[in-house]
Amino acid sequence: MTSAATRAPAPAPARPPARSGGALAGTLALIRFGLRRDRVRLPVWLLALSAGTAATAANYATLYAGPADRASAAAAMASPAGLAMTGPRHYLDDYTSGAMTAHQLLGFTIVLAGLMSALTVIRHTRAEEETGRAELVRSTAVGRHAHLAAALAIASLAGLALALLLALGLGATGLDPGGSLLYGFAHAAAGAVFAGVAAVTAQITPHTRGASGTAVAVIGLAYALRAAGDAGGGDALSWLSPVGWVQRAYPYADDRWWPLLLCLVLAVLCAGAGFALSARRDVGAGLRAARPGSPAASASLVRPLGLALRLHRSALAGFGAGVFLMGAMYGSVLGDAEGMLKDIDPLQEALDGIGGATTAESFASMVMVVLAVVTAVYVVTAALRPRSEESAGRAEPLLAAGLSRARWAGSHLAVAMAGGTFLLLLAGLGIGAAGAASAGDPGLLPELVGAALAYAPALWVTAGVAAVLHGWLPRAAPAAWAVPVYAFVAGYLGPLLRFPGWADGLSPFAHVPRLPSAAMGWTPLAVLTLIAAGLLLLGLEGYRRRDLRTA
């Protein structure tokens, strides 16, 4: 006798684990993961900002030890151009060593702290979505707002760490502990504002570069409003900028904490707007719809050079506007350079070491290094673009066809070198036109344009260093940033901080003739050009030999 076999019921499909925490589930895990990913990046930012500030403050205390020295420095900074580059006039009323440090450094270091915070937020939000990692993580028990909350938390922790390091470092130089604490937390407050700004820009565009560029533009606008307000003698424009709010906390002068509360309120509003906007879009998408492209590619886009130029055009335009305005700002003080700097002994010694027929020429030669270094930042960014294209997997489909690696990577390097040269031209036009107008000397325009273009071979060497690192040591490619950073520290701050001569010689920018003060020397420029050519060929050969990296 047979009996019907009974079948056990099929097991129910496993349910995904419940999300405890709702939209913020998994935030703590993402914070720990983000801190681990940034275990090198953030400490470099923090140590560079804190150590550089403390070293400069200590140098101020040594070089301007007497009241007469500080009074001369205050008189030099009292012009509209000087206030635009530094900060509010109120600091000049009692120009102690602390007030000098806050007046001349705070506006600059706040911008750097804002960049650190904004780029950190975008790196952990929009960049994660663009690469597809955010969608993979959200398929687990992770809430919708966890990525943004973790990014803001990481930026806030970095800001607090920077505040404490600055307070300790400045206190160790002998400055007032209360003012040092306010000075440090001013950076944390400003960083929170620009982290909130980045939380909003990350929702607008689906591309990391667009989100970063918009956030940087907001930071630049905030600094420009502050500069225009301080130069004009009124406070209306400065109070429209969080940079102006922070500077009006007046550390080491009045020690007012309440302007930092304005920054915190704005930071909370921006962060709240970022969370609200993130709920109105899909993962990986942006609020701004992409424009429909042409049904057929133009003739230039089917060539490597045309495609590279298209990819770099936004960054090139942004840097072009920035270096032109920066050059014009420096050029506007050339007419008053002799009166501004004659009583500042350290600067006068540095200018005497440069040489030049006039103080204006010597000062122009000094600041030309700054313009060249800013241009080198673009060159490194553009020269390392093949690395990001390769890591994102966009290079492999192109190279799988008939396109050679040398042509593809070489096109990006060509745009980096030509674009850097073009930026030098714009910087020279900016400082030359403004300098000629302020000094009443039309001959300064061609002189300063030529002085700027003389740094082109040094930029090409910078691109060559990036090419070698990308070609042979792709993991170490970010080390190319050491070239512009070291060039700025040794070339601009070196004469003021009295670095030894050999330290400056390690930078390719140190071998460029310091026009218009010095005579033109073609031999070092030719040597730099040959070195750049050798580095570029070596880098392309390394890229041809190694495997692609897609992670």
Side-chain angles (χ1 to χ4, degrees), residues 470-481:
H470 174 244
W472 293 94
L473 300 169
R475 286 185 178 274
W481 288 107

Side-chain angles (χ1 to χ4, degrees), residues 18-400:
R19 295 186 178 184
S20 59
L24 296 178
T27 300
L28 291 178
L30 288 177
I31 292 174
R32 292 195 298 269
F33 179 59
L35 291 174
R36 179 176 175 79
R37 289 182 60 197
D38 287 349
R39 63 186 182 275
V40 174
R41 186 186 305 264
L42 285 180
V44 169
W45 272 103
L46 298 177
L47 290 176
L49 286 173
S50 58
T53 300
T56 305
N59 196 58
Y60 283 161
T62 302
L63 298 178
Y64 302 95
D69 297 328
R70 293 192 294 272
S72 298
M77 293 292 108
S79 67
L83 295 174
M85 290 190 293
T86 52
R89 185 184 295 273
H90 180 63
Y91 284 103
L92 305 179
D93 295 341
D94 185 14
Y95 217 44
T96 62
S97 296
M100 176 184 293
T101 300
H103 184 230
Q104 299 193 21
L105 288 184
L106 186 57
F108 176 67
T109 53
I110 279 174
V111 169
L112 295 179
L115 286 173
M116 177 188 70
S117 298
L119 296 178
T120 297
V121 170
I122 291 172
R123 169 177 164 81
H124 292 288
T125 53
R126 175 51 62 186
E128 293 296 287
E129 294 188 42
E130 187 175 11
T131 57
R133 291 190 292 263
E135 187 173 9
L136 181 63
V137 171
R138 289 188 185 184
S139 65
T140 63
V142 172
R144 179 177 184 86
H145 296 317
H147 273 97
L148 181 55
L152 290 172
I154 293 170
S156 299
L157 290 173
L160 292 175
L162 177 61
L164 295 176
L165 288 173
L166 285 171
L168 293 173
L170 292 173
T173 64
L175 296 180
D176 174 61
S180 299
L181 193 64
L182 175 59
Y183 187 98
F185 275 91
H187 291 75
V193 170
F194 294 120
V197 169
V200 174
T201 63
Q203 316 307 321
I204 297 174
T205 172
H207 303 294
T208 303
R209 291 183 180 273
S212 302
T214 306
V216 171
V218 172
I219 296 174
L221 177 62
Y223 185 85
L225 286 173
R226 193 283 310 161
D230 290 339
D235 287 345
L237 288 177
S238 298
W239 279 109
L240 296 177
S241 165
V243 178
W245 301 349
V246 170
Q247 285 193 315
R248 278 156 180 77
Y250 295 124
Y252 304 111
D254 295 342
D255 287 344
R256 303 192 303 188
W257 285 85
W258 64 265
L260 304 190
L261 297 178
L262 298 177
C263 293
L264 295 181
V265 171
L266 181 58
V268 170
L269 292 176
C270 290
F275 283 113
L277 293 175
S278 68
R280 301 176 63 87
R281 63 177 182 84
D282 294 330
V283 178
L287 293 171
R288 187 180 63 188
R291 294 182 301 174
S294 174
S298 63
S300 62
L301 290 181
V302 299
R303 295 179 175 85
L305 187 60
L307 177 61
L309 184 59
R310 176 69 173 268
L311 293 176
H312 291 276
R313 65 179 183 179
S314 297
L316 185 60
F319 270 92
V323 297
F324 180 82
L325 293 175
M326 190 176 181
M329 181 181 70
Y330 280 125
S332 65
V333 303
L334 288 184
D336 301 326
E338 184 171 0
M340 288 174 56
L341 306 177
K342 65 179 180 179
D343 295 326
I344 305 179
D345 293 337
L347 274 176
Q348 196 61 52
E349 291 177 9
L351 294 176
D352 291 341
I354 293 174
T358 63
T359 303
E361 286 188 356
S362 302
F363 182 70
S365 299
M366 175 183 286
V367 299
M368 201 66 72
V369 178
V370 181
L371 296 173
V373 169
V374 173
T375 304
V377 172
Y378 164 78
V379 171
V380 175
T381 302
L384 293 182
R385 182 63 184 265
R387 177 177 178 267
S388 61
E389 295 290 305
E390 181 183 349
S391 300
R394 293 187 290 267
E396 191 172 8
L398 296 175
L399 299 176

Side-chain angles (χ1 to χ4, degrees), residues 405-425:
R405 294 190 181 192
R407 288 187 63 197
W408 178 75
S411 64
H412 288 277
L413 293 173
V415 171
M417 296 167 64
T421 306
F422 175 68
L423 293 180
L424 288 176
L425 175 62

